[in-house]
Amino acid sequence: MAELFSDSWMSEFATHWNAEPELSDALSQIGFNSVIGYGLDGDDAPKGVLTVENGKAVSGEAFSGQTLNWDIRASEDQWRKWMAKPPGMMGLGMAFTSRKMKFVVGDYSSMIKDPRMAGPFIKSFSVMGRV
């Protein structure tokens, strides 16, 4: 298995993202465009980046200085737990308030209050588990 959020891991994540209608199609319906960084809590920068245009992942790669709309961090153990057993809305709320999940860039509160974005965000964890 590729290292979490490495270039090859992110590329495979992008493929799985696009194959999941509850994620890519749902975000396409709202014209979602974003550059999302994923990384480990305490690191200076995210490890991987997913670029999404109109809901579809157009690239998944290692971070190389891209300007991010979102930068989501957690410990490697926590990421792996979420991939094995994706959190629900309550679990995400607890993770955010307990600081197990941190948004270095991006507004968690506004995203989670919009069901058009919250549902796909939750779905992204099960998609990560397919990588």
Side-chain angles (χ1 to χ4, degrees):
M1 181 163 99
E3 179 187 347
L4 185 63
F5 306 133
S6 67
D7 196 59
S8 60
W9 194 97
M10 292 303 299
S11 178
E12 190 172 341
F13 179 42
T15 299
H16 287 286
W17 175 291
N18 290 335
E20 177 52 63
E22 290 180 51
L23 187 51
S24 60
D25 291 353
L27 291 173
S28 178
Q29 291 175 6
I30 62 170
F32 182 80
N33 299 301
S34 203
V35 180
I36 308 165
Y38 297 91
L40 302 180
D41 190 22
D43 285 357
D44 291 337
K47 291 192 174 294
V49 175
L50 188 73
T51 302
V52 179
E53 293 178 5
N54 200 32
K56 304 293 184 192
V58 295
S59 70
E61 59 196 339
F63 178 74
S64 60
Q66 299 92 326
T67 300
L68 304 172
N69 302 103
W70 300 92
D71 182 352
I72 308 165
R73 309 289 184 92
S75 70
E76 184 167 353
D77 285 347
Q78 190 62 60
W79 281 116
R80 296 213 183 270
K81 285 178 188 174
W82 287 327
M83 289 177 209
K85 186 175 187 241
M89 191 69 80
M90 181 78 81
L92 282 180
M94 294 291 289
F96 180 72
T97 57
S98 68
R99 308 274 298 147
K100 288 182 179 178
M101 174 185 290
K102 296 177 183 171
F103 284 72
V104 178
V105 176
D107 182 2
Y108 171 81
S109 298
S110 67
M111 180 269 300
I112 210 69
K113 289 177 184 173
D114 184 345
R116 300 171 310 158
M117 289 178 65
F121 181 62
I122 290 168
K123 190 65 176 178
S124 72
F125 291 93
S126 64
V127 171
M128 284 181 186
R130 299 176 195 161
V131 176

